[in-house]
């Protein structure tokens, strides 16, 4: 047991293919820790982060069942960057320590952290490498429209609020271009898997 020798942070814009890529890593036996799933757990009824959110944002953002009203919260932080920062200050340290806790329980050569807002949040200190899933914006819009049924303008707004494609690519150690079919995507993941196993073998285990 101990932290894997290599930790890869997987990121990309909305609809770029992060979930699809991470599912394929899992299929290959690689543990995947997803920051979004942890964030959801942190705001379940009774979770300590939810108390802090209630204190700061008031009862308006809590549902009758006692959980976080995610739609309401999303519209608040989307319109107000100070509030967005306040929410991040509550959630990010908790997400980070939970990811760290899960990492040290693993005994695989490497692990993947899915961190959608990696570059926006500066949460890359746990990772040794950054893997970016990259797609042209036209595909991104098409795929999110199909998946979520959102309007084109809504998707464009979300994309505009995320870090731009060039900055993401500039930060990447590895890039998967997801502009082909699913089979091509899986092959790209398999190629990286072999690469990461090689890299992990060459690295000393850090603490
Ligand atoms: P993310 O997790 O980055 O938001 P997803 O993995 O959910 O993105 O992918 C967005 C949508 O596009 C999903 O419905 C997924 O099935 C689809 N998709 C992903 N990659 C491809 C591809 N190469 N070809 C066709 N559809 C794809």
């Amino acid at each position: 047991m101990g932290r894997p020798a290599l930790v890869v942070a997987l990121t990309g814009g909305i609809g770029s293919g992060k979930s699809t890529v991470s599912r394929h890593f899992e299929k290959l036996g690689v543990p995947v820790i997803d920051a979004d799933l942890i964030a959801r757990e942190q705001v379940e009824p009774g979770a300590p982060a939810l108390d802090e959110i209630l204190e700061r944002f008031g009862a308006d953002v809590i549902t009758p069942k006692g959980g976080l009203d995610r739609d309401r919260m999303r519209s608040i932080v989307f319109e107000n960057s100070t509030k967005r920062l306040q929410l991040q200050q509550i959630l990010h340290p908790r997400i980070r320590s939970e990811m760290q806790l899960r990492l040290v329980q693993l005994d695989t050569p490497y692990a993947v952290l899915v961190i959608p807002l990696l570059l926006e949040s500066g949460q890359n200190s746990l990772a040794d490498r950054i893997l970016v899933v990259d797609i042209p914006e036209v595909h991104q819009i098409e795929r999110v429209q199909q998946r979520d049924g959102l309007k084109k303008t809504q998707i464009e707004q979300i994309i505009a609020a995320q870090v731009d494609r060039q900055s993401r690519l500039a930060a990447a150690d590895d890039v998967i271009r997801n502009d082909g079919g699913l089979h091509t995507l899986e092959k790209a993941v398999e190629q990286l898997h072999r690469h990461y196993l090689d890299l992990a073998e060459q690295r000393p285990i850090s603490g």
Side-chain angles (χ1 to χ4, degrees):
M1 295 270 254
R3 182 184 183 278
L6 181 76
V7 177
V8 178
L10 166 63
T11 194
I14 179 171
S16 58
K18 297 179 295 295
S19 311
T20 312
V21 166
S22 68
R23 273 196 300 274
H24 202 61
F25 274 114
E26 272 181 332
K27 228 167 118 184
L28 297 170
V30 181
V32 170
I33 301 172
D34 187 324
D36 268 0
L37 294 182
I38 295 176
R40 279 169 193 261
E41 290 169 15
Q42 298 292 325
V43 296
E44 274 171 8
L50 195 61
D51 289 342
E52 257 189 76
I53 291 172
L54 174 65
E55 247 172 62
R56 194 166 282 266
F57 292 89
D60 268 8
V61 298
I62 308 296
T63 64
K65 281 188 178 161
L68 182 70
D69 186 337
R70 297 174 61 86
D71 289 342
R72 174 109 187 86
M73 195 76 234
R74 198 175 297 121
S75 63
I76 290 174
V77 300
F78 206 70
E79 281 162 18
N80 185 325
S81 57
T82 310
K83 295 203 164 160
R84 182 157 65 223
L85 205 68
Q86 287 174 343
L87 179 67
Q88 286 171 353
Q89 279 166 353
I90 296 172
L91 289 179
H92 286 172
R94 295 172 190 275
I95 295 171
R96 189 181 186 285
S97 47
E98 182 61 31
M99 286 196 294
Q100 204 159 20
L101 212 73
R102 293 188 192 186
L103 275 177
V104 296
Q105 289 167 19
L106 299 174
D107 56 4
T108 49
Y110 81 97
V112 172
L113 307 178
V114 187
I115 312 182
L117 297 181
L118 179 76
L119 303 168
E120 291 85 342
S121 68
Q123 286 218 343
N124 54 3
S125 58
L126 288 178
D128 304 302
R129 285 182 90 77
I130 297 180
L131 166 59
V132 167
V133 194
D134 177 59
I135 57 168
E137 202 170 291
V138 278
H139 285 315
Q140 199 174 7
I141 292 170
E142 264 171 30
R143 286 178 187 169
V144 177
Q145 262 178 328
Q146 274 194 357
R147 187 189 62 186
D148 301 337
L150 295 176
K151 290 200 196 88
K152 187 168 180 243
T153 49
Q154 286 176 304
I155 302 167
E156 282 168 345
Q157 247 187 344
I158 296 172
I159 292 174
Q162 297 185 337
V163 77
D164 64 278
R165 192 175 167 200
Q166 288 320 315
S167 313
R168 220 183 258 118
L169 287 173
D173 296 293
D174 310 296
V175 177
I176 294 185
R177 295 196 193 277
N178 188 14
D179 51 3
L182 287 170
H183 182 70
T184 311
L185 184 64
E186 288 178 1
K187 291 289 150 210
V189 174
E190 283 158 28
Q191 196 173 355
L192 271 174
H193 176 58
R194 288 190 291 273
H195 181 48
Y196 290 152
L197 286 175
D198 284 345
L199 284 178
E201 204 171 317
Q202 291 159 20
R203 285 175 71 94
I205 307 261
S206 51

